[in-house]
Amino acid sequence: MRWLQNHPKTLESMYGSTKWLIKKMGPMFEKIGNEKVDRWFRKPEEWSKQAMFDCQMCGQCVLHSTGMTCPMTCPKNLRNGPCGGVRQNGHCEVKPDMKCIWVEAFERSTQMGTWGADMMMIQPPVNRQLEGSSAWVNMVTGADQDVPTGWIGLNTITVLPKGIDYPTAK
Amino acid sequence: MEKYTSPAKSAGRLEQILKAGHFAVTSELSPPDSADPAEVYEAANILREVSDGINATDGSGAHCHMSSVGICSLLTRADYAPILQISCRDKNRIAIQGDILGAAAMGVMNILCLTGDDVTAGDQPQAKRVFDLDCIQLLRTARIMRDKGVFLSGRELTTPPKVFLGAAANPFIPPKDWRPLRLAKKIEAGADFIQTQYCYDVPMLVEYMKRVRDMGLHEKVFMLIGVGPLRSHRAAEFMRNNVPGVHIPDSIVDRLKKTPKGKKRAEGNKICTEIIQQVREIEGVDGVHLMAYRQEEAVAQIVADAGLLPRPYTVPEMNPMESDYFAMPAIEASMGKYDTMFKAQA
């Protein structure tokens, strides 16, 4: 299923419709109980996302902001861009056989019309308490948007990219 | 330009020198594998007259040495302007925020926020990698502490750390189109100054700086370009193959290869001096950052050769080891004292 990753445009629209659907199902989740739904969702979400993105189940998915490439597959778990150790051939410092996920993320993001420019957003620190839970349910409850109190007011700053032609400017 | 006119963020010397428009020189101190403060002062003393700030590395290359907070605390006692390096590899957000406060209390006014080399680059690859924050989140955290006066959790600080915040940049590795954008992100997160990876490829830096100027980033941040001497072509080859993120073009390696034996070290210093002179001409470059592992003497020579002396401020010559504040003889004497004290009680 990994070949799908090289079709970021398709994935982007898939993400868009999944998001729409899950948000529609939100009130239903509430009725059943979010914890219960979280238990149901965990495994299917893990299987499907692992097959496609090698998902690490951080529980706060930012795939669409990182070129449909999971930042948690970076050995250093970097969520804001590549480290300074990328090899000249574009491979990872830690795993020489693996292409740097940020090199791929950057290439893919330039093909994405809706969320491509989100690469410039500053991603807040990971909430380690959400690890292992369903990111879809967390999206509905808003738990994935929770940032540390000190961070509030600073988490939405977007630097507009210059010099890179994203398909549509935001 | 914004970077010159913004209100002072620290009371530090490095910020003042940069804002006054001087071409700054910072250098890296090789941390000792020792518990003896004298070794720190010996290394620092060589850099005393040639650098405006001294970087204390935080387990660079994932090798364990004396801690950066420890080195900085020693350096501030002798009037140096240390730059505390914090890497995300070894500490989580709780430890890092504590270190920022502790260092600021010891008089540290500059902090360089780094991702850090992976544990596999060092001699203890079995260690657990932390990477709780990434370097941009670390920068932002430090800025929140300084500007909002709170911890990441929102809990208030009675006195915020007044620190000048730095970040690293590596213009010489893929994805090259993304590198200036990453710089923009780091500035947005809180970087006041940048220290780059070793520059051995000036044309590549020129290209990068052009993009940086096009984006107007050179007006917001002070750029210090990393440079360093190569001891021989073997050292150059070792570095480009084994040190993560170092790019050395073949032309430099060939030049060292052709140099006769015995003159290679001098040629390496000459290359470094030439690179300093070339980067100095690039618009938007505000200084150089010298890195030379266990070669502090070479750094002093290069700064002199490049015509960067005298520095705007020279740290006064003194031997802090002589002060009874923390001299080793005093510690030993007190050990003896407790011996007799406890014996008397028994």
Side-chain angles (χ1 to χ4, degrees):
Chain A
M1 292 274 277
R2 293 284 155 78
W3 56 270
L4 251 174
Q5 279 204 288
N6 290 323
H7 301 275
K9 254 183 122 161
T10 317
L11 282 175
E12 191 181 27
S13 52
M14 272 168 72
Y15 170 81
S17 37
T18 312
K19 188 176 176 180
W20 177 84
L21 189 71
I22 300 265
K23 287 238 158 156
K24 282 268 172 221
M25 285 157 77
M28 205 174 77
F29 288 2
E30 197 79 45
K31 249 183 219 162
I32 304 168
N34 286 321
E35 274 174 39
K36 217 175 197 177
V37 181
D38 179 72
R39 273 202 303 278
W40 296 344
F41 268 43
R42 274 182 197 198
K43 281 297 158 191
E45 188 175 335
E46 195 174 341
W47 289 328
S48 60
K49 277 183 167 177
Q50 227 161 40
M52 269 190 267
F53 308 106
D54 193 19
C55 167
Q56 307 287 309
M57 292 298 281
C58 68
Q60 46 217 293
C61 199
V62 288
L63 265 172
H64 58 291
S65 305
T66 54
M68 301 310 288
T69 307
C70 175
M72 302 312 270
T73 57
C74 163
K76 296 184 185 176
N77 287 181
L78 303 182
R79 280 167 90 93
N80 277 300
C83 72
V86 184
R87 290 162 197 265
Q88 284 300 325
N89 61 2
H91 282 223
C92 172
E93 166 197 336
V94 184
K95 298 177 180 168
D97 299 329
M98 185 177 93
K99 203 170 176 191
C100 168
I101 67 113
W102 281 103
V103 171
E104 295 192 305
F106 176 66
E107 282 164 9
R108 289 170 186 155
S109 78
T110 57
Q111 299 167 41
M112 289 164 54
T114 318
W115 287 287
D118 269 19
M119 282 279 281
M120 291 304 286
M121 264 174 68
I122 294 176
Q123 297 295 341
V126 179
N127 179 356
R128 310 280 168 187
Q129 288 182 308
L130 296 180
E131 267 169 18
S133 61
S134 162
W136 289 337
V137 177
N138 292 337
M139 183 171 76
V140 172
T141 60
D144 65 341
Q145 296 298 319
D146 266 351
V147 291
T149 313
W151 193 276
I152 291 172
L154 292 165
N155 63 323
T156 49
I157 292 173
T158 305
V159 198
L160 284 177
K162 282 183 192 167
I164 298 289
D165 292 325
Y166 282 104
T168 51
K170 272 197 120 181
Chain B
M1 283 204 269
E2 206 179 316
K3 66 180 176 186
Y4 296 112
T5 53
S6 67
K9 287 160 177 146
S10 70
R13 203 180 299 145
L14 182 67
E15 182 180 3
Q16 287 171 27
I17 287 172
L18 283 165
K19 283 189 172 168
H22 289 288
F23 190 78
V25 179
T26 56
S27 50
E28 197 172 278
L29 183 132
S30 310
D33 298 332
S34 163
D36 184 0
E39 290 186 34
V40 174
Y41 289 124
E42 273 162 34
N45 192 47
I46 307 167
L47 304 169
R48 190 171 59 82
E49 290 177 330
V50 300
S51 74
D52 306 322
I54 294 181
N55 281 56
T57 58
D58 185 12
S60 66
H63 283 83
C64 187
H65 304 289
M66 189 191 284
S67 80
S68 53
V69 176
I71 292 175
C72 285
S73 309
L74 291 173
L75 291 179
T76 54
R77 291 174 182 184
D79 196 36
Y80 289 98
I83 298 159
L84 174 80
Q85 296 195 183
I86 301 180
S87 121
C88 298
R89 180 194 56 231
D90 308 319
K91 283 171 272 190
N92 70 6
R93 61 192 86 176
I94 299 173
I96 286 175
Q97 291 173 87
D99 270 358
I100 292 175
L101 289 184
M106 288 303 303
V108 175
M109 295 179 187
N110 312 291
I111 296 182
L112 184 72
C113 302
L114 303 165
T115 304
D117 296 317
D118 188 68
V119 292
T120 50
D123 58 354
Q124 299 182 70
Q126 308 86 350
K128 178 171 169 59
R129 46 173 86 92
V130 180
F131 298 112
D132 182 26
L133 302 178
D134 65 29
C135 64
I136 286 180
Q137 293 158 354
L138 167 58
L139 265 170
R140 178 49 59 96
T141 302
R143 188 176 153 193
I144 288 168
M145 290 172 74
R146 181 190 69 191
D147 294 348
K148 288 174 92 176
V150 295
F151 284 114
L152 202 50
S153 67
R155 196 151 51 83
E156 255 179 67
L157 304 169
T158 41
T159 305
K162 290 292 171 205
V163 285
F164 202 45
L165 293 174
N170 192 344
F172 311 106
I173 51 166
K176 293 214 181 79
D177 280 346
W178 168 255
R179 292 288 162 186
L181 299 175
R182 179 151 169 84
L183 178 68
K185 248 180 131 166
K186 286 194 174 180
I187 296 169
E188 193 61 48
D192 302 311
F193 70 97
I194 300 289
Q195 292 178 317
T196 76
Q197 182 56 278
Y198 284 111
C199 168
Y200 291 107
D201 194 333
V202 179
M204 206 180 263
L205 179 72
V206 169
E207 208 175 294
Y208 173 82
M209 285 305 295
K210 192 180 169 295
R211 295 255 341 257
V212 167
R213 287 196 303 273
D214 288 348
M215 293 168 74
L217 301 177
H218 68 302
E219 296 182 355
K220 295 183 181 157
V221 78
F222 293 101
M223 295 287 297
L224 307 178
I225 307 301
V227 289
L230 294 164
R231 264 179 277 201
S232 64
H233 66 275
R234 282 217 183 82
E237 261 159 15
F238 177 83
M239 260 175 74
R240 72 170 169 187
N241 294 331
N242 295 292
V243 183
V246 176
H247 160 67
I248 305 177
D250 292 336
S251 58
I252 300 265
V253 181
D254 288 344
R255 189 171 151 186
L256 281 165
K257 218 179 238 172
K258 280 180 198 142
T259 312
K261 235 182 168 180
K263 287 183 183 168
K264 286 188 197 288
R265 211 172 259 239
E267 187 69 12
N269 291 359
K270 203 174 151 215
I271 292 172
C272 185
T273 311
E274 284 171 20
I275 291 173
I276 292 178
Q277 281 157 348
Q278 285 166 19
V279 302
R280 203 179 172 177
E281 300 302 314
I282 304 171
E283 196 193 333
V285 172
D286 301 284
V288 281
H289 171 53
L290 280 118
M291 294 172 280
Y293 188 67
R294 305 249 150 106
Q295 295 188 77
E296 278 86 0
E297 288 88 358
V299 169
Q301 186 62 45
I302 289 163
V303 175
D305 290 349
L308 297 172
L309 293 181
R311 302 306 314 149
Y313 180 88
T314 307
V315 177
E317 195 171 4
M318 60 165 142
N319 186 1
M321 294 303 293
E322 281 168 3
S323 77
D324 43 337
Y325 186 37
F326 65 104
M328 293 302 263
I331 295 170
E332 276 159 23
S334 72
M335 282 165 116
K337 188 175 82 189
Y338 289 126
D339 266 6
T340 48
M341 238 168 84
F342 294 142
K343 257 180 210 150
Q345 277 171 9

